[in-house]
Amino acid sequence: MRDFNEETITDAVVDRFDGTENPRLRQIMQALVRHAHAFVREVELTQEEWLAAIGFLTRTGHITDDKRQEFILLSDTLGISMLVDAINHRMPDGATETTVLGPFYVDNPPVQPADADISGGETGTPLYVTATVSAPDGTPLAGAQVDVWQSDEDGYYDVQKPGDDPNLRARFIADEDGRISFWSIVPKYYPIPADGPVGDMLEATGRHPYRPAHIHFMIAHEGYETLVTHLFMEGDPYLDSDAVFGVKQSLIVAPQAQTGPAPAAANKPQGSAWMRLDHRFGLKPTA
Ligand code: BEZ
Ligand code: FE
């Protein structure tokens, strides 16, 4: 067939994928073409705008390396990461809700014993965290592997700073009661990396780059789906406008100011006032 026009081109391209052997790949490619063409038609895209979009994606690729993932950031700021997450993690009662992984997870963080201080000397309000990991019915999951990571008080993760030392990240193995505990510092809100094309997009559209204060958790145990989530700090000014749409009410927690003697006091980060957070995570059994 020849002479494709505005009316006929979409079906022609969709049909060209008819021979795709893998049915799932065929479904994805044909739907992608239909939706992309519908988008171009809806906004009557100009050639300059299409070239600008290609330039944007080219810059997104060029700035991406093994330390910076601008494509994930783009997916996050367009809400695609959270939509994929929602579709793939429909949780039963008693299981903790999920949220974005984000670009700053590092596989195999250093394993730390119970009550370790993961703050690495960073300044901030000391925070003592205890968490239990259980099945939805409350059965403790001994041996659960709990990875934790967070930014420093200035909003930077260790991988964004010079040097290779892991900081404010660790792996804990839950004890026989499914419990872990550690010292850290109270996190603060921070901007996602905004000095690249995604930042340009946010600025051009009048959006701010901030994420409300949070601590990341990735929790794994055999027989259960790996849980990727955060705990967000109550009262944060960005809870209702997270740049990546990751906040869920059930993940908002309120660390309590403490006055009594600190647990594992030798490990407590510098600072007299300290806070405490106790939380229960529920994992969803694999089907
Ligand atoms: C984060 O929380 O680490 C994060 C998530 C999405 C985009 C940027 C950062
Ligand atoms: Fe984060």
Side-chain angles (χ1 to χ4, degrees):
M1 190 174 166
R2 301 178 183 178
D3 294 330
F4 301 114
N5 60 30
E6 265 185 67
E7 277 72 46
T8 61
I9 182 116
T10 302
D11 284 345
V13 181
V14 168
D15 291 350
R16 196 68 65 86
F17 286 99
D18 274 347
T20 308
E21 218 168 288
N22 179 325
R24 178 66 175 162
L25 180 60
R26 180 168 64 240
Q27 180 191 18
I28 288 173
M29 290 311 299
Q30 292 185 326
L32 178 67
V33 169
R34 269 192 229 102
H35 287 270
H37 284 217
F39 159 73
V40 171
R41 272 193 195 91
E42 181 184 322
V43 301
E44 298 224 331
L45 204 65
T46 67
Q47 274 172 327
E48 291 74 23
E49 287 163 346
W50 185 228
L51 272 181
I54 287 171
F56 174 85
L57 291 173
T58 304
R59 289 196 300 283
T60 301
H62 283 166
I63 205 171
T64 294
D65 59 21
D66 56 352
K67 286 208 159 175
R68 176 164 184 162
Q69 232 306 350
E70 195 78 356
F71 281 107
I72 295 183
L73 210 55
L74 181 58
S75 160
D76 294 342
T77 51
L78 295 180
I80 296 174
S81 303
M82 281 308 291
L83 179 57
V84 172
D85 184 68
I87 289 168
N88 286 278
H89 298 107
R90 297 177 179 126
M91 289 303 187
D93 283 351
T96 300
E97 290 195 283
T98 52
T99 189
V100 275
L101 174 66
F104 301 126
Y105 177 68
V106 177
D107 207 5
N108 288 316
V111 178
Q112 297 282 4
D115 289 340
D117 173 16
I118 68 166
S119 73
E122 295 288 348
T123 54
T125 304
L127 175 69
Y128 185 69
V129 180
T130 74
T132 55
V133 183
S134 66
D137 67 2
T139 307
L141 295 177
Q145 176 184 285
V146 183
D147 291 356
V148 180
W149 67 109
Q150 67 171 85
S151 63
D152 66 18
E153 258 221 319
D154 300 321
Y156 291 104
Y157 286 79
D158 53 0
V159 290
Q160 296 176 284
K161 300 190 284 190
D164 289 328
D165 282 348
N167 198 18
L168 288 167
R169 69 175 70 239
R171 173 169 290 170
F172 298 94
I173 305 298
D175 69 13
E176 63 274 17
D177 299 319
R179 184 175 185 278
I180 65 149
S181 55
F182 61 94
W183 276 105
S184 187
I185 52 173
V186 176
K188 202 174 171 214
Y189 59 79
Y190 66 85
I192 62 170
D195 57 343
V198 169
D200 296 343
M201 181 269 288
L202 294 180
E203 195 179 332
T205 54
R207 288 176 54 184
H208 73 69
Y210 288 94
R211 297 217 64 210
H214 58 272
I215 303 175
H216 293 257
F217 293 84
M218 182 187 285
I219 306 180
H221 189 284
E222 209 188 320
Y224 294 82
E225 289 184 8
T226 294
L227 171 66
V228 175
T229 197
H230 311 349
L231 293 179
F232 294 95
M233 303 298 125
E234 189 177 83
D236 188 283
Y238 295 106
L239 283 172
D240 289 316
S241 62
D242 182 6
V244 304
F245 308 94
V247 179
K248 291 176 175 170
Q249 183 62 37
S250 68
L251 302 178
I252 300 174
V253 295
Q256 300 295 308
Q258 303 290 312
T259 48
N267 296 348
K268 177 174 156 295
Q270 289 300 307
S272 49
W274 62 283
M275 301 188 88
R276 180 177 178 128
L277 171 61
D278 302 288
H279 194 75
R280 173 198 163 265
F281 293 99
L283 300 196
K284 178 185 179 183
T286 43

